[in-house]
Each structure stands twice: as C-alpha cells, then as structure tokens.
Amino acid sequence: MPIRNIDVYVRELKLTQETRVGALAETRLGIEGHNWLRQLLFNMRDGEPAAMGGVSPALESEIVKELEFFQSNNITPVFVFSGLPVARKDGRSTAKDDYRLGYRQSAWEQYRHGHTEQALRGWSTSSPQALVDTIPFVMQVLQAHGAEFMRAPYSAWAQLAYLYKHDSQPIHAIYSSLDVLMFDVDRVVTAIGHARSTFSWVQRDYLLGRCRITAEQFLDICILAGCDWCPTFPALLDDVGFSFKSAVDMTHQYHSGLNAIQMLTDHPSVRATNYSDSFLRAYCIVRYHIVLHLDGSVGPLNPEFAPNDLHDIIGYRLPVAAYHLLARGAIHPPILNMLVNGTWLEFSPPDNGESREYHRLITQWEGGVYTQQCRLLCKHLGSFFAQRKVVLQTWFEPRTEVVLHDTKSVSQGVSLPAVGAAAVLNGDISVSSVMENSRILAAAPEGSSDSNPAAELLAWVLQSLGFIVSSGEHTKLGSALNAGLQALQSQLQERPTELLQWAVVAAAVLIDQGLLTGEKWSVSYDDELSLITDAQQQKFIRIVARIATLTPPGARRGSWKFGYNRDLLAFSSAARLVQKAVGSSADTARLVGAITGSAALAPESTQLLQLQELRRTMPLECTTSNATGVLAYVLLVDYARNGAGCWARIQTAAEESLVDARQALRDAWGVAGAVRAIAKVHGNADKDIANAYSWAQTAFSEVL
C-alpha cells in the first residue's frame, strides 16, 4: 500500500503547487510506471476486459495520447516500472482470497437479468488481471512508439531516486506518487492535467518545514504510518481511525520512530507484535534498496553503509544477467519471482475459473510445464537454487501445494536444445519453420557456428510444451501440430502471422487436454444455446466458437454490439494459461541462455535484438480476448435459427464493433481448418470437429 493517508495530509496543509507544463520543457521526466498506468486505467473505467478478457480496447490509444502530449510539450518521458517485489517478512507468498470473485459474480448476475450497464460498472471494479500483468503490453506500445522505458530490479521509486540524484542527471524530474519522497527526493510531480496544461507538484522541504521535522524523521513517520513494506504502528490506531498527523505528533514526542516503538512496547496492541523488526526492515529497504547502476552493476543505494544480509531483507540475489534482461523488458518478473519467493501463484481468471476442467489444466498440465522450467533454471542458478523448494499454489485450493522443484528434483536431461544449421530456416524463426525443420536443427553438431539463440529459444518452448523431444523428433502431439500448421497456411494461401501460429499451438494443447470439444464443461452458463433444439448443432456451435476464441480479434472500432458470453470467457481463460506457459518458457530459455553465455547481452547485439523481436511476436496472456469467439457464436446461432444470409444480418453491427470483423472471421476459419487437421492426426474429438467444420462452412462462406 502507499504511505497511509499522506496524500490527505498534504492536501490539508495545502502543500500542492500548480505550474504550467511549459516549465517541464526540455526535461527528461522520470515516470513511475505503475502509478501512471493505474491513473490511466482508473480514468478509463472500462468494464469490458473483465467481461471479455484482454486489455481495454482504448488502452493503446490512451497511451499514444499521453506520448503525444509529452512530445507536444517538448518533454522526454522515461518510464520506470517496478520489477520484483521485496521479499515478505513472513516468507512465501500465498494465494489469498480474491475480492474480485464476488464482484464478478454479482456483475454476471446483473447481466443475466438484462442489466448491462450495472454489470459493466461491476466489471470495472474487478480487473481481469493484476496491474503488473498488463505491463508487457504497455511496454510493447511504448517500444513501438520509440519511448524510453526500463524495469527496475525491485522498486521503481528507488530506481527513479537513483537516476534523479546521479551526477549525470539521466532524468531531471520525477512524476510519481508521494511515496518516492521517502528516498530523499526533494520534489515530485504528482499529477499532470492535459486539459489545462498544468502539473501539480510537492516540495519536500515545504512539508518538512510545516511539520517541523528532519528528513530522517520524515522517513520514520512514513514507516510508522504504514507503507508497502511495513504495517501501521498499532499504537497509532484507535477507535476514531488513523491520521498521518498522529504519526507526526508521535515523532515530535519521541524524536524518532525507533524511540517511539521502544517507549510503547507495553502498549497492548504493540506487545502482540514484533514491530521493531518490521520497522527496521522497512528502514533498510528504503535506505539500501537494490538498483541498476548506470555502469551496469546491480547494488544498493548508499553502498558504503549497507548491511551484509540484504538478501534476507530484499530477496535472494539473482545473476546480474537476470536484472539486465528484466530492465530491457526481455523477460518478465513472474518466472524470477517464482524462484525468489518459492511459489508460483495462480489466481482466478476473468470468468472466476469455477470448472473442474480449468482446475485440472492448472494442476496437471501447467504444473508439468513449470516443473520443467524450474528444473532448468535451478540447474544453472547455483547451489542455493539447486536445493530450492518451489511450489504451485492456486486460489481454489490455497492450502494445497504442488511441488515443482525441491532437493529431490532430478535435473538430468533438462537442458536447452542445441540448435545448429539455422540457415535452413532462411531467416524465418517461427513456430511452423522450427517444427518443419526440427530434426535438421537438432542434428547439427553442438557449438555449430550456424547456431541461433532465437531458434534455440523457440525449440525449447516447443519442447517444454510437449511437441518435440531433445532429438528434434515430433511427439504424437507435435505431428498433429505440424499438420495443423500446414493446413493453416494452405487454407489462408499465405504465410500465417505469428499470432495465428500460436493460436494453433494453443488449440493443439487444448485438444490434447480434452477441452476443445463440443461438450459442456462441468460448470456452464450459456442459456441461449438451449433455444436451439438440435443437440448436434449445439455441439457444432460450441466447437467453432471455441476455436474462434483463440483467434486475435484485431482492433476495436467502437462499442461492442454482441453482448458477453461467460462460457467463451471460460474457454479463453484456458487459452490464456497456455499463452502464459509459452511466455514463461521463453523467459526461462532466454535467462538460461544469458547465464550460460549462449545469448549475447550487449544492448544492440544482433542476437539480443532477435530474441526481443521473437518475444514480441509471442502472445501476451493479458491480451487474450474472446471477441472473435463471441462474433462467430452470434453468426452461427443466427445461421442455426434462420439459415443462409446470417452474415448480412449481423454485418453492420460487426463492422461497428471491429475495425476488420471480416478478417477476424477469416482468420478464425483458417484456424478451424488447422484444428480439423490436428484432431484428425491426434484422434481426440476428430469426428465432432470435422462435422462441425462441415456444418459451419456455409455460414463462413458468406464471410470468406
């Protein structure tokens, strides 16, 4: 949590100043990314992501507007996002009760009774994913528009303070919440008003003067009040409530935070806690926070005074390569956080994840993928991590731990595949190319000069998902995937995009897990299909709509005209699990490659740029939406009820909803052809899928 009630106190003292944005011209403005993004999403108040999955359709355009505003005012923004969370005092994190479950359920009940506006307001309070899960998408948008950004090793506040106070002045001002003032920053921009072209800011010296305190006392007060790393001092809590001024008054009385704690140890609420330990821990976190230095080293602020046991306070030290890749957005925090905290936490998806099928996909399939990743990483991270216990914990069984790695884990045979003869790919580092040539790539001599880190990474991802083995041979599932990819290209009559290829990968996994069928799941919400009396047609609609759900919908044009479908949202949550596993497998391979030296780390190296470009073409779990699935569902339900002419009847609404609705459905039909080929080779639900394809062909022919 932010420093408790400090914003209210600053407003009461009227310490916030307002200045024209022109005063920031010619400056490099360091922006605390999480606070900036949180404000952006709050202003949008969009409930659709919770109803359809994915990010808000307007998010990218809002980010672009922000960048255009900075550019028009001659301000260079430098976005700094937080990296790993600081280690918890009480050890491993847990999957606590998720407050969003109730909000979502209530919103779906409102929608079921026809109260769409109330439902959207309910969904807007229950984000489908944590803010940190949206950061990779935001980074992609920033990168596409040439904006500077980085991810700090831990807190962005500490990283911004370091950059601001450095002699070379990489940034000239900080735009953040008031929390950054704890890090000895003299002033902070707290808000920027586009309409009035003004910005609000707070001078720390004015705050210290009004409170009659020193900078050291200010830090004590912030910790006593309660912040991200320490709860509120119990003696400050009473029946009336808490105010920041009470922490100021207590520090006046006892001269320091530690004195106050020691003098009040007999207070009933203090006696029950070891608060002095929490206080000192938070003090060290602020004073000696780990940051990425301009020379590339990773170390504490105020290193000459830093204690030797910082790993007990902030977290276990990782290789420098990990922090470098994290800073560039080349890998994302979850895989590192799993190692440091010893837990992979699985929280509820947008549909609330109530089905047994979804639970089984997590514990059996996803758990197996993460086990491989843990073993590969722990094998290369030194003796401490080789003994590290890592568990999978879920919101639906928070007291049950699925062990991913411990002292008994066997890492033999778990390694990155050696890939040579990369010239055979002709520069096409894609799923279809690597699958088609996997045997040739694996047969090349180890250490071949023709190796390619991007191809190695992709081969590892496909191996970890069960499509190929270390020799490059296809598994049965791999043979099915290869057939599907060939069918996709044949049906589209052009090279499919990377995202469509990954959609086929997800389809193959879901077929293998018995989830891409025409059967209802153990928990089903769809009442509309019951109006179709033909049970076979119900199955066909489910199959094709689920396939279409895997297909990216493209850009949105305006308000959504086709309602919301919780069954398809549940299926897209399963697809999101696959995409998350793809991303974490890629991050695993990239990190191991950097540690072992097989992937260059120089910022402008060709190999690193190839790896970053490959990661950009992979699906992001936060963008998974069921929009194309809902569109296909509406098309097919209309076809089942009214026959030919279904596209003409929905075309206007479709084109008002999506920039290119026709292309989205064409892509979905291409993936449907690939799924038919996969099922034929694999054998799971092959007849139902083939029959569904034949039945839906007439409806889709109107679009094609």
Side-chain angles (χ1 to χ4, degrees):
M1 65 176 182
I3 301 170
R4 189 172 183 181
N5 281 12
I6 189 174
D7 52 344
V8 175
Y9 188 64
V10 166
R11 282 198 302 271
E12 289 174 350
L13 296 181
K14 298 181 179 179
L15 294 176
T16 302
Q17 304 179 64
E18 190 172 79
T19 307
R20 300 292 297 177
V21 167
L24 292 174
E26 305 290 342
T27 65
R28 291 172 57 82
L29 179 63
I31 300 175
E32 197 272 284
H34 286 68
N35 180 64
W36 164 77
L37 180 58
R38 190 180 295 110
Q39 291 182 5
L40 208 61
L41 293 172
F42 177 78
N43 292 336
M44 290 164 57
R45 293 182 179 87
D46 189 355
E48 278 197 354
M52 301 178 71
V55 297
S56 169
L59 180 57
E60 182 170 359
S61 62
E62 290 299 314
I63 294 172
V64 172
K65 286 179 186 176
E66 291 276 302
L67 296 177
E68 290 173 345
F69 176 82
F70 291 128
Q71 184 177 22
S72 65
N73 288 281
N74 204 17
I75 300 168
T76 302
V78 180
F79 297 89
V80 179
F81 298 95
S82 291
L84 302 176
V86 169
R88 293 166 55 97
K89 178 188 173 184
D90 55 353
R92 186 182 295 142
S93 301
T94 57
K96 295 180 178 178
D97 291 341
D98 191 341
Y99 74 91
R100 297 173 300 177
L101 292 168
Y103 286 118
R104 291 175 188 149
Q105 186 63 36
S106 177
W108 279 110
E109 285 298 314
Q110 292 279 7
Y111 181 71
R112 194 167 66 86
H113 290 96
H115 307 308
T116 303
E117 290 303 317
Q118 294 93 319
L120 284 168
R121 283 196 293 271
W123 285 321
S124 69
T125 65
S126 57
S127 171
Q129 57 235 341
L131 186 69
V132 293
D133 294 333
T134 310
I135 301 300
F137 171 78
V138 175
M139 285 181 167
Q140 283 193 0
V141 176
L142 294 176
Q143 185 175 28
H145 290 84
E148 293 184 48
F149 66 87
M150 70 166 293
R151 205 191 279 269
Y154 295 92
S155 171
W157 298 323
Q159 188 69 44
L160 284 165
Y162 166 78
L163 296 173
Y164 177 65
K165 294 189 290 184
H166 195 275
D167 292 341
S168 65
Q169 281 200 298
I171 59 175
H172 307 113
I174 295 176
Y175 175 21
S176 172
S177 61
L178 291 170
D179 302 73
V180 77
L181 294 177
M182 287 193 295
F183 291 86
D184 204 26
V185 171
D186 60 357
R187 67 191 68 188
V188 58
V189 175
T190 56
I192 297 178
H194 291 202
R196 298 175 57 192
S197 292
T198 60
F199 68 94
S200 302
W201 59 287
V202 173
Q203 181 91 12
R204 191 178 69 151
D205 285 348
Y206 294 170
L207 175 59
L208 300 183
R210 289 292 298 274
C211 295
R212 295 177 289 110
I213 56 175
T214 65
E216 190 72 17
Q217 287 176 319
F218 175 71
L219 176 56
D220 287 2
I221 290 167
C222 292
I223 297 173
L224 290 174
C227 62
D228 266 19
W229 304 301
C230 186
T232 302
F233 185 42
L236 292 172
L237 302 173
D238 54 34
D239 295 336
V240 177
F242 169 81
S243 70
F244 190 82
K245 186 178 183 300
S246 62
V248 175
D249 293 341
M250 179 175 285
T251 306
H252 280 158
Q253 181 179 356
Y254 296 105
H255 306 295
S256 76
L258 196 56
N259 283 348
I261 296 166
Q262 291 173 340
M263 294 300 292
L264 294 170
T265 51
D266 291 332
H267 188 283
S269 57
V270 176
R271 194 184 307 123
T273 66
N274 185 16
Y275 193 82
S276 60
D277 183 58
S278 298
F279 178 90
L280 291 172
R281 183 185 182 87
Y283 180 90
C284 288
I285 288 171
V286 175
R287 280 284 181 255
Y288 312 114
H289 207 91
I290 302 295
V291 297
L292 178 61
H293 294 266
L294 293 181
D295 63 3
S297 63
V298 178
L301 300 170
N302 308 306
E304 62 274 20
F305 305 111
N308 294 324
D309 58 350
L310 272 180
H311 62 278
D312 287 333
I313 300 169
I314 293 178
Y316 297 114
R317 182 68 180 255
L318 293 165
V320 173
Y323 298 112
H324 283 196
L325 292 171
L326 190 66
R328 296 173 192 148
I331 62 174
H332 303 310
I335 195 73
L336 299 176
N337 200 30
M338 172 177 69
L339 295 173
V340 172
N341 287 334
T343 310
W344 182 279
L345 297 178
E346 199 61 66
F347 293 98
S348 63
D351 66 288
N352 279 356
E354 297 175 337
S355 70
R356 292 193 302 272
E357 290 82 356
Y358 187 78
H359 297 174
R360 189 179 69 247
L361 186 66
I362 291 174
T363 55
Q364 296 182 13
W365 180 81
E366 187 186 44
V369 173
Y370 292 145
T371 295
Q372 290 190 66
Q373 294 172 12
C374 280
R375 291 181 179 181
L376 180 62
L377 284 166
C378 293
K379 176 182 176 182
H380 293 283
L381 286 174
S383 58
F384 171 78
F385 285 103
Q387 306 294 315
R388 185 78 165 131
K389 182 180 181 181
V390 182
V391 300
L392 168 68
Q393 192 179 57
T394 66
W395 86 97
F396 57 88
E397 289 184 348
R399 297 177 182 174
T400 300
E401 296 180 345
V402 178
V403 177
L404 304 178
H405 184 273
D406 60 14
T407 55
K408 300 176 183 177
S409 297
V410 178
S411 60
Q412 285 82 3
V414 181
S415 59
L416 287 182
V419 172
V424 73
L425 301 176
N426 294 318
D428 179 14
I429 312 296
S430 65
V431 175
S432 57
S433 181
V434 170
M435 284 298 297
E436 186 177 347
N437 297 284
S438 59
R439 295 175 182 84
I440 299 173
L441 296 172
E446 188 171 350
S448 168
S449 60
D450 192 20
S451 64
N452 184 299
E456 289 176 0
L457 182 150
L458 197 48
W460 158 255
V461 172
L462 294 169
Q463 181 178 319
S464 68
L465 296 179
F467 294 108
I468 57 177
V469 295
S470 56
S471 64
E473 295 292 325
H474 293 172
T475 62
K476 180 182 179 181
L477 182 58
S479 297
L481 173 63
N482 200 42
L485 292 168
Q486 291 173 1
L488 176 66
Q489 181 155 342
S490 175
Q491 187 145 326
L492 295 177
Q493 297 183 343
E494 60 184 8
R495 181 187 180 278
T497 66
E498 282 80 1
L499 287 180
L500 283 183
Q501 293 181 45
W502 285 112
V504 174
V505 170
V509 170
L510 295 172
I511 285 175
D512 187 55
Q513 295 300 308
L515 300 182
L516 211 174
T517 69
E519 303 299 330
K520 288 182 178 182
W521 284 8
S522 57
V523 177
S524 182
Y525 313 96
D526 195 348
D527 297 326
E528 190 173 359
L529 273 187
S530 62
L531 301 177
I532 297 174
T533 56
D534 189 323
Q536 282 295 98
Q537 288 186 3
Q538 290 182 15
K539 279 188 175 184
F540 297 160
I541 292 171
R542 282 195 199 96
I543 289 171
V544 178
R546 285 172 176 174
I547 293 169
T549 294
L550 303 173
T551 310
R556 288 279 297 277
R557 187 188 299 279
S559 60
W560 184 244
K561 308 291 186 183
F562 293 104
Y564 308 103
N565 188 307
R566 194 172 178 183
D567 274 325
L568 291 178
L569 184 62
F571 186 79
S572 72
S573 294
R576 177 178 170 173
L577 279 184
V578 178
Q579 292 168 347
K580 182 162 62 173
V582 166
S584 61
S585 291
D587 288 347
T588 297
R590 188 177 294 104
L591 179 56
V592 171
I595 293 170
T596 58
S598 62
L601 278 176
E604 300 303 322
S605 72
T606 301
Q607 290 181 331
L608 183 61
L609 292 175
Q610 283 179 339
L611 289 172
Q612 290 176 321
E613 176 61 19
L614 177 62
R615 187 66 178 92
R616 188 189 64 78
T617 63
M618 290 180 170
L620 293 173
E621 54 166 305
C622 67
T623 61
T624 306
S625 163
N626 70 353
T628 308
V630 173
L631 180 58
Y633 176 89
V634 171
L635 178 78
L636 294 174
V637 168
D638 187 286
Y639 173 62
R641 290 177 175 176
N642 306 309
C646 52
W647 171 244
R649 289 189 286 272
I650 72 166
Q651 182 174 2
T652 300
E655 292 175 348
E656 289 175 353
S657 299
L658 296 176
V659 169
D660 199 341
R662 187 185 291 267
Q663 186 60 51
L665 289 174
R666 285 172 177 165
D667 289 344
W669 191 242
V671 174
V675 169
R676 181 179 61 164
I678 292 170
K680 184 177 181 180
V681 174
H682 187 280
N684 198 349
D686 54 327
K687 292 182 180 178
D688 281 346
I689 289 174
N691 291 335
Y693 183 90
S694 299
W695 175 81
Q697 195 158 15
T698 302
F700 273 85
S701 66
E702 299 178 14
V703 183
L704 304 176

